Amino acid sequence: MSGTFPLTPAPSAIKIQSYQPTRVSISHNLRRSVRTNGAQRWVITADWVGLTRAQFAPIQAFVVAQRGQWDSFTAVLPAHKLPQGVATGTPQINGTNQQGRSLSTRGWTAGLTGALKAGDFLGISGQTKVYMVTADVNADAFGLATVAIEPALLAVPADGAVITVRNVPFTLALGADTMESAVAPGSIYNFSLQLVEAF
């Protein structure tokens, strides 16, 4: 792990992809058969347009220092620093042996409507995988809430593990071993970079 990606200046645009490989086959009678191993990872494409050399140099140096796809680093996506939901309280995992696509949680503000919204990201202490909330979340009178997520949990979280909903760090690596940038007249740099989740 080699630090945090320099997102200043912020990218002009970021594309977020969810990669979930499946194997699809069609039989002679046209029935569809689908298989999956449950794998999922985030793929981030960031574009910078119109950077000066001084603005581009720290980004370029950081990328070169990754030695292609060798190293990994963290980044908080600028447009997703805050959740859409209210997200007040101190959310934690509630109980042991949790699996699948549903989290039992505690520590939300009691009776909170809209704690999280579908499309919010969350992290769980002890794991580097980032999950997406797939349905709006409300907390009951005791601050308990069930959170639907995708993908399914990759590891069983500990009871009391802290749930991060603000400034969720993605653990990433470069998506290719080659880095290139376009330099326009006047030393104006345009740069595109693909990053893949490396949990």
Side-chain angles (χ1 to χ4, degrees), residues 139-159:
D140 68 14
F142 302 99
L144 305 175
T146 299
V147 181
I149 60 169
E150 189 62 39
L153 285 166
L154 293 191
V156 177
D159 179 41

Side-chain angles (χ1 to χ4, degrees), residues 42 80 83-84 116-122 131-136:
W42 302 105
H80 296 270
Q84 301 172 94
L116 294 172
K117 296 287 189 179
D120 285 339
F121 289 110
L122 64 81
Y131 300 93
M132 178 174 277
V133 177
T134 57
D136 292 354

Side-chain angles (χ1 to χ4, degrees), residues 108-127:
W108 301 96
T109 300
L112 184 63
T113 299
L116 294 172
K117 296 287 189 179
D120 285 339
F121 289 110
L122 64 81
I124 302 170
S125 62
Q127 300 187 31

Side-chain angles (χ1 to χ4, degrees), residues 9 51-61 179-181 189-191:
L51 299 182
T52 66
R53 182 177 178 184
Q55 290 173 317
F56 178 59
I59 298 171
Q60 182 182 33
M179 189 209 83
E180 64 180 21
S181 57
Y189 289 78
N190 299 318
F191 183 54

Side-chain angles (χ1 to χ4, degrees), residues 12-108:
S12 306
I14 288 182
K15 178 169 67 175
I16 303 171
Q17 296 173 289
S18 174
Y19 176 62
Q20 294 174 288
T22 55
R23 295 180 296 280
V24 180
S25 59
I26 306 296
S27 66
H28 290 294
N29 65 3
L30 300 182
R31 289 180 184 252
R32 180 174 176 262
S33 176
V34 182
R35 295 169 300 285
T36 180
N37 59 9
Q40 187 272 352
R41 75 175 179 185
W42 302 105
V43 179
I44 313 295
T45 303
D47 297 311
W48 289 263
V49 177
L51 299 182
T52 66
R53 182 177 178 184
Q55 290 173 317
F56 178 59
I59 298 171
Q60 182 182 33
F62 185 90
V63 171
V64 170
Q66 301 311 304
R67 296 177 287 167
Q69 300 175 76
W70 174 260
D71 217 340
S72 62
F73 48 89
T74 60
V76 174
L77 304 184
H80 296 270
K81 288 183 175 181
L82 299 176
Q84 301 172 94
V86 185
T88 54
T90 53
Q92 303 171 15
I93 296 295
N94 186 34
T96 58
N97 299 319
Q98 295 198 41
Q99 300 177 45
R101 292 175 167 80
S102 181
L103 293 175
S104 176
T105 66
R106 64 177 184 254
W108 301 96

